[in-house]
Amino acid sequence: MKIQEADAKGLLLAQGLPVPDWSVAHSPAEARAAAESILAGGAERVVIKAQVLVGGRGKAGGVKLAGTADEAEAVAGSILGMTIKGITVRKVLVAAAADIVKEYYLSAVLDRAARRILLMGSAEGGVEIEQVAVDHPEAIITIHADPLLGLQDWQARDLAFRMGLGGHLKAAVGVARGLVRTMLANDADLVEINPLAIVRETTTDGTIERLVCLDAKVTLDDSALPRHPGLEALRDPDEEDPADARAREAGISFIRLDGTIGCMVNGAGLAMTTMDLVKRAGGEPANFLDIGGGAKADKVATAMALILEDPKVSAILVNIFGGITRGDEVARGLIEARARQTRSVPMVVRIVGTNAAEAADLLRAAKFETATSLDDAAAKAVAASRSMGTSTGAGR
Ligand code: GDP
Ligand code: MN
């Protein structure tokens, strides 16, 4: 689950990381009020930032500075309602504008292959790190945290020095360690600060330079959310795909893909296998869909509706291995779903295991096309899709 910058900053702050104060505004008037109090506190300018769950807001015109409350209101008015990568901006972050000396990049990401948290740092901050990785891979410094020992001080110091942050060693070590803590405390997959910036601040003692997190991106592990009841509240319903929300509420794992063969399967492993077999038969799966164990008829109907909403789907392959899930329940769900469906596409059903015989009787009576082997089912689904006159997308 992706969360908004403002919420990500909250998680960083909870781990003691240096994040400048911010507030969130939903209207130009709210942005004006926030700007007034920030400017009254002595700031010269405020920064106003679109809160959308996509990167590159700066480039898209979603990050702007304002010097007065009037200007802040106008700028917020121009950012609210604009579209960034197809998403409408509904809220903005308002903060005192930082006087940036230099921008760095620092992130912690779950490296599944290494089974460790990977820290990535670079002196090339502020720009898209993917581009840095392509143009100057040597400019990205990587360090793995040990799962038992954690990120050790010498590692964090080494990272900071090689990023060119030797002048802010203590602060940089603190941020690196804080990113690892943020990962662990929230079961995050990614915690990214871009830019991590050295900023100039005027205090009563004169001008100082400080390291602060100016942007924050956090992705949480969906499967770990039940361990963190408080984090569920950070889900932004404004930006969740309605189909994803319905799948989640029904307890269905659903991921849209580019192909034409809709797949309905129980079990993640069987779903992966089914997708492989569709490909081997010359087709392309339109989705990954796991209805889970013990699915009842209404869940099957919901899954069918999700698959059919994708206009690319020209055939459906249902592959159920009855264990806890009863084959006849699934068959009833399919019959019910077909009675309700608004669009008709060929469907091939394979149900084996618990109550397979009852399922077969129901499906035969309802005139469904069935298959006994998985290879046969995949071949029939691909042939049916072809006969619908659409490309299977093979070879993409
Ligand atoms: P992103 O484009 O979505 O990653 O949004 P960022 O928060 O990273 O902002 C993009 C860029 O705007 C940063 O790299 C900075 O150069 C600039 N920026 C962001 N906040 C401030 C600020 O407080 N002061 C100044 N001067 N520039 C800022
Ligand atoms: Mn950024």
Side-chain angles (χ1 to χ4, degrees), residues 146-165:
D146 186 278
L148 293 177
L149 302 173
L151 180 72
Q152 297 175 78
D153 270 331
W154 68 267
Q155 289 183 298
R157 283 198 300 274
D158 181 39
L159 175 70
F161 269 120
R162 287 159 65 199
M163 283 172 66
L165 276 168

Side-chain angles (χ1 to χ4, degrees), residues 240-252 301-303 305-306 309:
E240 194 179 23
D241 183 324
D244 290 347
R246 273 166 54 219
R248 184 166 50 77
E249 278 154 22
I252 296 168
T302 304
L306 286 168
E309 269 167 30

Side-chain angles (χ1 to χ4, degrees), residues 5 49 55-58 103 126-127 192-195 214-217:
E5 173 191 2
K49 307 175 70 177
R57 294 164 301 163
E103 301 187 20
V127 289
E192 184 185 72
I193 316 296
N194 188 24
L214 279 194
D215 189 11
K217 178 175 167 186

Side-chain angles (χ1 to χ4, degrees), residues 174-364:
V175 172
R177 297 186 68 104
L179 292 199
V180 174
R181 278 200 309 281
T182 308
M183 286 283 282
L184 296 174
N186 303 289
D187 282 316
D189 289 336
L190 168 80
V191 180
E192 184 185 72
I193 316 296
N194 188 24
L196 170 69
I198 296 178
V199 301
R200 207 175 282 119
E201 284 178 4
T202 312
T203 67
T204 44
D205 301 337
T207 305
I208 57 155
E209 284 187 358
R210 212 160 76 86
L211 194 64
V212 296
C213 305
L214 279 194
D215 189 11
K217 178 175 167 186
V218 169
T219 310
L220 302 169
D221 180 347
D222 290 307
S223 303
L225 281 174
R227 282 158 43 113
H228 308 279
L231 296 180
E232 185 58 46
L234 305 183
R235 187 184 298 280
D236 191 337
D238 287 348
E239 285 192 44
E240 194 179 23
D241 183 324
D244 290 347
R246 273 166 54 219
R248 184 166 50 77
E249 278 154 22
I252 296 168
S253 304
F254 175 64
I255 296 159
R256 271 207 204 91
L257 301 167
D258 292 333
T260 58
I261 316 277
C263 300
M264 187 194 305
V265 190
N266 65 326
L270 191 58
M272 302 292 277
T273 308
T274 305
M275 287 160 57
D276 282 347
L277 289 175
V278 164
K279 276 181 173 267
R280 197 169 71 177
E284 286 287 331
N287 62 273
F288 168 98
L289 190 154
D290 169 13
I291 58 171
K296 292 277 194 291
D298 56 340
K299 202 169 171 188
V300 172
T302 304
M304 189 60 67
L306 286 168
I307 293 174
L308 281 170
E309 269 167 30
D310 179 352
K312 294 192 305 305
V313 169
S314 57
I316 297 175
L317 170 53
V318 179
N319 183 24
I320 301 296
F321 190 91
I324 307 168
T325 307
R326 288 168 41 195
D328 57 325
E329 272 284 354
V330 174
R332 268 187 214 99
L334 291 173
I335 292 163
E336 189 187 317
R338 199 176 58 177
R340 276 198 255 151
Q341 81 196 28
T342 48
R343 190 160 78 87
S344 158
V345 302
M347 196 187 311
V348 182
V349 185
R350 173 195 181 237
I351 298 179
V352 294
T354 310
N355 292 2
E358 290 88 333
D361 289 344
L362 288 166
L363 293 173
R364 198 176 310 113

Side-chain angles (χ1 to χ4, degrees), residues 56-215:
R57 294 164 301 163
K59 240 191 231 164
V63 177
K64 292 212 169 90
L65 302 177
T68 64
D70 281 343
E71 208 186 327
E73 187 174 352
V75 167
S78 71
I79 294 178
L80 287 162
M82 76 184 281
T83 358
I84 300 179
K85 296 182 183 167
I87 298 170
T88 306
V89 181
R90 292 188 167 88
K91 45 207 169 272
V92 291
L93 177 148
V94 186
D99 180 5
I100 301 173
V101 178
K102 181 160 170 54
E103 301 187 20
Y104 298 82
Y105 173 95
L106 187 61
S107 70
V109 59
L110 187 65
D111 181 346
R112 291 175 197 277
R115 290 179 288 177
R116 281 164 160 72
I117 290 174
L118 174 70
L119 276 122
M120 288 194 277
S122 179
E124 312 267 320
V127 289
E128 273 172 42
I129 198 69
E130 290 81 0
Q131 202 53 48
V132 178
V134 172
D135 298 340
H136 313 280
E138 72 288 349
I140 300 176
I141 294 119
T142 57
I143 283 183
H144 280 110
D146 186 278
L148 293 177
L149 302 173
L151 180 72
Q152 297 175 78
D153 270 331
W154 68 267
Q155 289 183 298
R157 283 198 300 274
D158 181 39
L159 175 70
F161 269 120
R162 287 159 65 199
M163 283 172 66
L165 276 168
H168 291 265
L169 195 59
K170 209 171 156 198
V173 166
V175 172
R177 297 186 68 104
L179 292 199
V180 174
R181 278 200 309 281
T182 308
M183 286 283 282
L184 296 174
N186 303 289
D187 282 316
D189 289 336
L190 168 80
V191 180
E192 184 185 72
I193 316 296
N194 188 24
L196 170 69
I198 296 178
V199 301
R200 207 175 282 119
E201 284 178 4
T202 312
T203 67
T204 44
D205 301 337
T207 305
I208 57 155
E209 284 187 358
R210 212 160 76 86
L211 194 64
V212 296
C213 305
L214 279 194
D215 189 11

